[in-house]
């Protein structure tokens, strides 16, 4: 019998997260105040986040200990299995050896609870009563609802109106875990009222929902805000994925030549890739790490590296990142989680320094790979995860053309059970090949007046 799964026990759950900042040759540049454009210190974040998360956000310690109550919740689904994709290798007729880490076994069905749980925990420890957040398709909102429920904190989610209406099942999940879900824009924040005054039928956007959730937290002492990607502490929490995967690859008796993950803001990519990059830094290994983004929102492959806002409205600090411009509106493709205009600061610096790579894929190529994977391995991938698969297919093909083995590891960061409508659209021919034009990108970037680097 071939061994498909490489399993750890609960005792093997890592007791520290890895903070890659300690090893980066060029440290991330500081965030700037949105008004004065001067560097801001950690205290500027205090209205929004608990102190412990702010400390982690600016920490240069290489290892940050995972509190026992967090590890205890992690045992609900961690350690996650690492699979050898024998079925896929056969289907692709490739000499490549393909492995994947499966994060779809968490209660919310993706990697997002890996950070939702510690974020809820640190808020609880500091006496916070309520956490607000935004959600697009609902993956982050459901992860945070689950985590808040566990620690007895109220959770208030601003869900983009169009998703609220078209994708109700994630909302029902959030309700099941006790969260309040608003269709954003609402009339109970200034940001929401302002949008509704201009357009009472606004379909909402992630940028608007962020502004509403942040305003709630900034104006209520008992309320804080939480973000599911992009920020340094979020990326660090996700390294639990790669720390487990390093152990599992060692158990399999090999190391990946290339590590692949889909890329929205960078959290699941960082999660699997950073612990392997550590081996490059510490042990001189040469493991390639590749981020896979949609060609409809290609900030890593076609964006610019400069300061930009994290939201559409321009409320957040200015962050040094690869961006398409905060006014960039991606085409309404279905891989909702990857439609963000910018990339996390750490990942951006690593790309700038050529320590990681990026590829962009059209959505038809991704769904084709996703369906082939489901047929070969059984698990139906989240549309976001299918972007990694498109890169994996290209790597497997390259190995075949070279006639040489290569070991590929990718992050299957979530299942697609709530995204079957997108699969239906693909099967019915309603999805089109989509690539932004250079003019679209140039127009969006021309609107930026944020500081250059
Ligand atoms: C949110 C999400 C993403 C994109 O976010 P990252 O921070 O880049 O990981 C990708 N896949 C799934 C399944 C998600 O839920």
């Amino acid at each position: 019998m071939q061994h498909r799964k490489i399993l750890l026990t609960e005792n093997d759950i890592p007791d520290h997260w890895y903070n890659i900042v300690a090893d980066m040759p060029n440290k991330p540049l500081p965030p700037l105040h949105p008004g004065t454009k001067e560097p801001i210190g950690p205290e500027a974040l205090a209205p929004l986040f608990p102190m412990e998360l702010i400390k982690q956000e600016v920490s240069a310690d290489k290892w940050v200990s995972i509190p026992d109550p967090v590890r205890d919740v992690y045992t609900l689904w961690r350690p996650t299995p690492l699979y050898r994709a024998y079925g896929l290798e056969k289907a692709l007729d490739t000499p490549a050896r393909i492995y994947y880490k499966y994060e779809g076994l968490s209660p919310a069905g993706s990697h997002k609870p890996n950070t939702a749980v510690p974020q809820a925990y640190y808020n609880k420890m500091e006496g916070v009563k309520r956490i607000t957040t935004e959600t697009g398709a609902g993956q982050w909102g459901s992860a945070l609802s689950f985590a808040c429920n566990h620690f007895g904190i109220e959770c208030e989610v601003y869900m983009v109106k169009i998703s609220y209406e078209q994708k109700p099942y994630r909302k029902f999940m959030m309700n099941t875990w006790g969260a309040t879900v608003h269709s954003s824009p609402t009339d109970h924040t200034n940001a929401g009222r302002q949008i509704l005054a201009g357009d009472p039928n606004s379909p909402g956007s992630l940028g608007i929902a962020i502004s509403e959730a942040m305003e709630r937290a900034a104006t209520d002492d008992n309320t804080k805000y939480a973000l599911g990607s992009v920020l340094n502490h979020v990326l660090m929490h996700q390294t639990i994925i790669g720390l487990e995967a390093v152990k599992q690859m060692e158990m399999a008796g090999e190391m990946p030549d290339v590590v692949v993950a889909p890329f929205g803001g960078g959290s699941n990519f960082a999660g699997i890739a950073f612990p392997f990059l550590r081996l490059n830094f510490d042990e001189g290994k040469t493991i390639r790490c590749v981020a896979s983004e949609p060609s409809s929102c290609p900030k890593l492959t076609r964006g610019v590296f400069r300061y930009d806002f994290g939201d559409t409205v321009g409320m957040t600090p200015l962050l040094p990142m690869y961006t398409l411009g905060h006014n960039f509106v991606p085409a309404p493709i279905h891989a909702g989680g990857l439609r963000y205009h910018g990339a996390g600061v750490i990942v951006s610096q690593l790309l700038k320094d050529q320590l990681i790579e990026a590829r962009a894929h059209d959505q038809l190529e991704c769904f084709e790979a996703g369906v082939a994977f489901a047929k070969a391995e059984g698990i139906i991938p989240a549309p976001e995860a299918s972007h990694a698969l498109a890169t994996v297919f290209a790597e497997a093909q390259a190995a075949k053309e070279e006639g040489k083995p290569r070991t590929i590891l990718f992050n299957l960061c979530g299942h697609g059970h709530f995204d079957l409508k997108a699969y239906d659209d693909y099967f019915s021919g309603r999805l089109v090949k989509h690539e932004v034009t250079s003019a679209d990108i140039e127009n969006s970037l021309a609107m930026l007046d944020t500081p250059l680097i």
Side-chain angles (χ1 to χ4, degrees):
M1 195 177 70
Q2 286 173 325
H3 288 276
R4 250 180 224 283
K5 288 203 286 295
I6 299 152
L7 298 171
L8 299 168
T9 71
E10 287 178 17
N11 292 330
D12 302 314
I13 295 179
D15 50 16
H16 288 76
W17 294 295
Y18 169 54
N19 181 10
I20 198 169
V21 172
D23 288 331
M24 288 170 72
N26 294 314
K27 306 299 177 199
L29 297 167
L32 306 181
H33 188 277
T36 65
K37 306 206 168 34
E38 294 298 321
I40 56 165
E43 67 290 344
L45 299 171
L48 293 178
F49 301 105
M51 227 37 232
E52 193 55 39
L53 289 175
I54 296 173
K55 275 194 217 150
Q56 291 181 1
E57 187 62 21
V58 298
S59 168
D61 296 343
K62 183 157 175 163
W63 299 101
V64 173
S65 120
I66 306 178
D68 281 341
V70 170
R71 292 179 80 221
D72 184 58
V73 189
Y74 279 166
T75 60
L76 284 172
W77 72 97
R78 308 211 69 85
T80 60
L82 185 106
Y83 288 82
R84 171 85 185 261
Y86 287 112
L88 184 64
E89 290 171 17
K90 193 159 164 234
L92 295 178
D93 184 26
T94 173
R97 289 189 291 272
I98 306 175
Y99 292 84
Y100 58 96
K101 182 80 167 149
Y102 185 40
E103 291 295 306
L105 295 172
S106 77
S110 76
H111 63 287
K112 293 226 170 55
N114 295 334
T115 182
V117 170
Q119 290 196 49
Y121 169 78
Y122 292 120
N123 274 286
K124 179 71 180 179
M125 288 298 103
E126 296 180 31
V128 174
K129 297 283 180 274
R130 186 187 301 114
I131 302 181
T132 61
T133 198
E134 71 287 336
T135 198
Q139 283 154 326
W140 169 240
S142 49
L144 191 68
S145 303
F146 155 73
C148 284
N149 173 65
H150 185 90
F151 291 108
I153 302 177
E154 269 180 56
C155 184
E156 192 177 298
V157 182
Y158 288 82
M159 185 168 185
V160 178
K161 182 175 171 191
I162 189 159
S163 305
Y164 183 95
E165 287 170 357
Q166 290 179 356
K167 300 182 180 173
Y169 290 100
R170 285 268 169 199
K171 169 183 179 293
F172 304 150
M173 276 177 99
M174 297 181 233
N175 293 146
T176 305
W177 284 311
T180 308
V181 187
H182 301 294
S183 171
S184 165
T186 71
D187 60 6
H188 36 253
T189 64
N190 287 330
R193 282 189 291 269
Q194 202 180 321
I195 298 289
L196 289 174
D199 176 8
N201 296 317
S202 163
S205 71
L206 210 48
I208 297 168
I210 294 177
S211 306
E212 289 207 275
M214 279 178 59
E215 182 183 322
R216 285 281 288 151
T219 53
D220 183 327
D221 283 348
N222 291 318
T223 304
K224 299 276 184 206
Y225 168 71
L227 206 58
S229 184
V230 178
L231 296 181
N232 302 353
H233 66 270
V234 179
L235 273 52
M236 185 186 74
H237 296 156
Q238 293 293 353
T239 60
I240 186 104
I241 302 172
L243 292 167
E244 287 180 6
V246 168
K247 289 190 198 179
Q248 287 162 309
M249 290 304 298
E250 281 167 356
M251 285 163 73
E254 47 185 337
M255 269 295 129
D257 296 301
V258 53
V259 177
V260 180
F263 194 97
S267 77
N268 92 85
F269 169 79
I272 196 155
F274 287 4
F276 288 95
L277 284 173
R278 183 186 79 77
L279 302 180
N280 291 356
F281 293 130
D282 282 358
E283 298 174 14
K285 290 203 164 53
T286 53
I287 300 165
R288 294 167 49 224
C289 294
V290 184
S292 310
E293 64 179 5
S295 54
S296 57
C297 192
K299 59 253 183 176
L300 298 177
T301 51
R302 297 171 69 192
V304 293
F305 183 61
R306 72 180 278 173
Y307 275 99
D308 197 8
F309 294 108
D311 64 336
T312 320
V313 189
M315 270 174 76
T316 68
L318 287 157
L319 301 172
M321 61 185 183
Y322 276 94
T323 179
L324 293 165
H326 61 274
N327 292 306
F328 183 81
V329 182
I333 63 161
H334 278 279
L338 307 183
R339 299 186 63 215
Y340 189 64
H341 66 271
V345 169
I346 294 178
V347 190
S348 294
Q349 187 66 51
L350 292 169
L351 183 67
K352 176 83 184 150
D353 293 340
Q354 300 183 350
L355 295 168
I356 62 170
E357 303 169 32
R359 303 273 184 281
H361 299 282
D362 168 72
Q363 61 173 345
L364 291 185
E365 185 190 354
C366 297
F367 274 97
E368 194 182 319
V371 171
F373 178 82
K375 286 182 171 162
E377 292 288 321
I379 300 170
I380 299 175
E384 292 88 348
S386 71
H387 289 71
L389 277 160
T391 302
V392 169
F393 279 36
E395 290 287 331
Q397 181 61 27
K400 189 171 168 177
E401 280 160 18
E402 280 176 15
K404 280 207 296 224
R406 84 171 67 176
T407 303
I408 305 169
L409 167 67
F410 75 96
N411 199 7
L412 185 56
C413 55
H415 64 63
H417 298 176
F418 293 94
D419 306 290
L420 292 172
K421 177 71 171 60
Y423 278 87
D424 182 43
D425 288 344
Y426 170 67
F427 294 132
S428 328
R430 285 191 292 270
L431 293 190
V432 288
K433 196 168 159 72
H434 184 273
E435 194 164 312
V436 277
T437 63
S438 301
D440 287 340
I441 295 178
E442 278 160 27
N443 288 340
S444 173
L445 292 175
M447 288 164 79
L448 283 184
D449 58 0
T450 53
L452 294 166
I453 295 172

